[in-house]
Amino acid sequence: MSVTERLLAALGPDIVSAGGDVPERNRADWSGLPAVTPLALVRPRSTADVSAALRICNETATPVVTQGGLSGLCGGAHPIAQGVALSLERMNRVISVDVAQATLTAEAGCVLQVAQQAAADQGMMLAVDLGARGTCTLGGVISTNAGGNQVLRYGMTRDHVLGVEAVLADGTILPALNRLLKNNVGLDLKQMFIGTEGTMGVVTQAVFRLQPRPSHGATAFVGVADSAAMLALLAQARKAMGPALISFEVMWPSFYDIMREGIGAPHPLSGQHGVYVILEAGGFDPSVRERLETTLADAMEAGIVEDAVIAGNLREERALWAVRESVSEYPRIIGKLTPFDIGIPLDRMAEAVATLEAAIKARWPDAQALSYGHMGDSNLHLVVNVPSAGADQPTKDIKAMVYGLTRDYAGTVSAEHGIGTIKRDVIGYSRSAEELATMRAVKAALDPRGILNPGKAFA
Ligand SMILES: Cc1cc2nc3c(=O)[nH]c(=O)nc-3n(C[C@H](O)[C@H](O)[C@H](O)COP(=O)(O)OP(=O)(O)OC[C@H]3O[C@@H](n4cnc5c(N)ncnc54)[C@H](O)[C@@H]3O)c2cc1C
């Protein structure tokens, strides 16, 4: 029997589809890689189904690519033609919200926004948040250790996960659904599944830590002269606002002007500036807004801030975020592009942005190099398009230049999106040979036949 026949016999046609029956959406993720039809698509309804499927795939040494919301940008969930795609889309329930313990337990295929809403309904907050919130799943954010807009205040996904249930390559169910904030008994096994992009096991359930929902907030849109002033503002805002500073998002005009025009959004300030910053503040005291105003007034007096506006209501707040959150419009506004998700130490960030944009322009004079990012987290998103190259972008050369400079600046080739397939050749720029060998030794111990996401991340 073929692997598809065995899967069908064990799980039935409701769960297993093959060939032309595999829906288009399961043939590609957001990486832009060409669509691939896997041998079979498995859509389990329970952890037992996942276990049965993995047992068969392990016995037949069949590659398995786990899929969540398919919003990953690096090809991690992109299917393999000779492999099985395992989608968690039907395991999407919020199981419980425990207000006293401040935890949320859900199945891994639960969409992030659904989990956020379930927490909000109980007056709590799931503080993992990113632009793809309506599409990405809890399993996906765990497996990529996703970041987003609130990392400065609340940390990466890793900081929110208390426990997981996962299925290992041979079908073993690992029940590690810890709900305690403190649990010092032995190895913290959940860490093996966080940020490892589906290479170590399939996450089927997770326990997230919840936060109290800030009762007061304020959002400001600020113009500063240059990158040095932007970094001075970050340092000052951190000192003045402490944990009330939730987001510090930055857009250089290279990004802001094109995307603002592309979505037809109004400019909230009266003039043009060298760098634009969104500051979001939150807390439990009505003085939060006043503190943000005072911080910006002090920064203006010190010559750091040129102009600023603070949203007066929720509608204005969303309008201040509109350009920053317009990145899903890239295909329409920019066309084919080469995106980056690099990290650069903040003391070298200003120089790095200027050098990167100048080097790209010098090599491809008509290039658009758009810079923006989660600057409070040292995370720069750079997007490059060479209009004269049309569909045949010089992607390889652009990557060689950007990743080479990232290495020179002691940065990381992936701050939050992961490695997938598209950054495998530069993984050694950010991790030593010894670190990579240790990761592969742990992987070999758990998945000796190498069936889980082969050729992805460090696997
Ligand atoms: C518009 C947009 C904005 C974005 N903004 C951000 C951002 O601000 N910050 C950020 O970090 N990312 C961002 N991303 C990237 C993406 O949303 C995240 O990587 C997200 O975590 C992926 O979740 P997913 O469910 O879509 O995972 P998928 O794309 O389906 O999978 C991603 C990886 O996780 C693995 N995986 C998925 N589910 C499981 C599971 N249950 N068990 C084991 N492995 C699994 C897959 O095999 C793959 O390697 C953005 C993407 C888009 C399209």
Side-chain angles (χ1 to χ4, degrees):
M1 271 210 280
S2 70
V3 65
T4 305
E5 286 165 345
R6 284 190 63 182
L7 287 166
L8 271 166
L11 295 163
D14 169 48
I15 289 178
V16 181
S17 45
D21 291 338
V22 174
E24 285 293 328
R25 74 172 293 273
N26 296 93
R27 299 184 193 197
D29 65 6
W30 252 79
S31 60
L33 294 167
V36 169
T37 307
L39 279 183
L41 171 69
V42 178
R43 284 181 288 179
R45 293 191 181 277
S46 67
T47 302
D49 291 345
V50 175
S51 170
L54 287 189
R55 202 171 313 114
I56 292 167
C57 292
N58 194 46
E59 282 167 14
T60 53
T62 306
V64 177
V65 175
T66 305
Q67 299 183 331
L70 291 156
S71 69
L73 300 167
C74 306
H78 208 76
I80 296 174
Q82 292 313 310
V84 164
L86 182 88
S87 169
L88 274 287
E89 66 199 59
R90 286 166 168 175
M91 293 177 61
N92 57 11
R93 282 179 315 134
V94 173
I95 295 168
S96 63
V97 177
D98 182 339
V99 175
Q101 187 74 22
T103 60
L104 174 143
T105 305
E107 291 181 312
C110 178
V111 169
L112 175 61
Q113 198 166 28
V114 172
Q116 287 175 331
Q117 189 57 53
D121 289 346
Q122 302 292 325
M124 302 294 283
M125 180 174 70
L126 173 55
V128 178
D129 189 36
L130 42 141
R133 63 183 77 78
T135 313
C136 66
T137 62
L138 298 181
V141 298
I142 290 172
S143 304
T144 56
N145 186 27
N149 299 336
Q150 304 189 148
V151 170
L152 176 65
R153 167 68 179 86
Y154 295 107
M156 300 285 279
T157 297
R158 190 183 300 285
D159 300 301
H160 303 265
V161 180
L162 289 175
V164 298
E165 175 191 77
V167 182
L168 303 182
D170 66 357
T172 302
I173 298 170
L174 188 70
L177 280 171
N178 169 64
R179 293 167 59 228
L180 301 173
L181 195 52
K182 298 167 90 172
N183 187 344
N184 271 352
V185 183
L187 277 181
D188 190 1
L189 293 174
K190 68 172 185 281
Q191 299 295 352
M192 292 194 307
F193 308 99
I194 304 176
T196 50
E197 300 180 59
T199 58
M200 307 291 274
V202 177
V203 178
T204 44
Q205 286 187 26
V207 182
F208 279 80
R209 184 180 178 182
L210 299 179
Q211 306 290 334
R213 169 168 291 277
S215 48
H216 296 83
T219 303
F221 190 94
V222 177
V224 298
D226 53 26
S227 302
M230 176 274 290
L231 291 170
L233 176 62
L234 173 60
Q236 189 153 330
R238 264 184 166 145
K239 257 194 245 160
M241 306 196 60
L245 181 63
I246 289 178
S247 300
F248 190 93
E249 294 292 312
V250 169
M251 298 172 279
W252 278 266
S254 57
F255 169 88
Y256 180 73
D257 294 344
I258 293 175
M259 297 308 286
R260 187 175 77 77
E261 201 186 310
I263 63 167
H267 181 46
L269 304 177
S270 54
Q272 308 301 310
H273 300 273
V275 183
Y276 300 100
V277 185
I278 300 172
L279 290 99
E280 193 160 293
F284 297 90
D285 188 314
S287 67
V288 163
R289 186 188 170 90
E290 209 180 294
R291 278 175 69 194
L292 182 59
E293 278 168 4
T294 309
T295 303
L296 293 176
D298 289 349
M300 212 173 259
E301 205 164 299
I304 295 170
V305 164
E306 291 182 329
D307 196 5
V309 59
I310 299 187
N313 54 42
L314 199 61
R315 194 180 46 80
E316 286 178 16
E317 192 181 303
R318 289 331 304 162
L320 296 185
W321 275 96
V323 178
R324 175 62 185 86
E325 296 223 308
S326 66
V327 296
S328 60
E329 298 278 342
Y330 279 152
R332 182 179 65 78
I333 297 170
I334 313 278
K336 206 153 190 281
L337 48 83
T338 309
F340 295 93
D341 160 45
I342 56 181
I344 304 279
L346 280 183
D347 57 349
R348 306 196 71 187
M349 184 64 83
E351 184 193 342
V353 172
T355 306
L356 282 164
E357 288 194 2
I360 291 163
K361 285 271 183 201
R363 176 85 178 270
W364 298 280
D366 71 324
Q368 296 171 306
L370 288 61
S371 300
Y372 66 104
H374 311 291
M375 222 32 54
D377 322 331
S378 321
N379 182 184
L380 175 68
H381 290 318
L382 174 72
V383 163
V384 184
N385 167 262
V386 181
S388 56
D392 197 18
Q393 294 288 304
T395 306
K396 205 167 158 224
D397 293 338
I398 296 171
K399 283 184 178 177
M401 177 182 282
V402 174
Y403 288 133
L405 283 167
T406 303
R407 183 179 48 188
D408 296 347
Y409 281 107
T412 174
V413 296
S414 173
E416 59 176 13
H417 293 165
I419 297 296
T421 50
I422 66 173
K423 292 179 216 160
R424 270 178 69 84
D425 50 340
V426 289
I427 192 170
Y429 287 20
S430 305
R431 292 291 194 191
S432 65
E434 293 80 2
E435 284 174 295
L436 289 170
T438 306
M439 290 180 204
R440 288 173 184 141
V442 178
K443 158 86 175 162
L446 284 186
D447 179 14
R449 306 192 81 170
I451 64 160
L452 294 176
N453 253 351
K456 312 273 178 89
F458 56 87

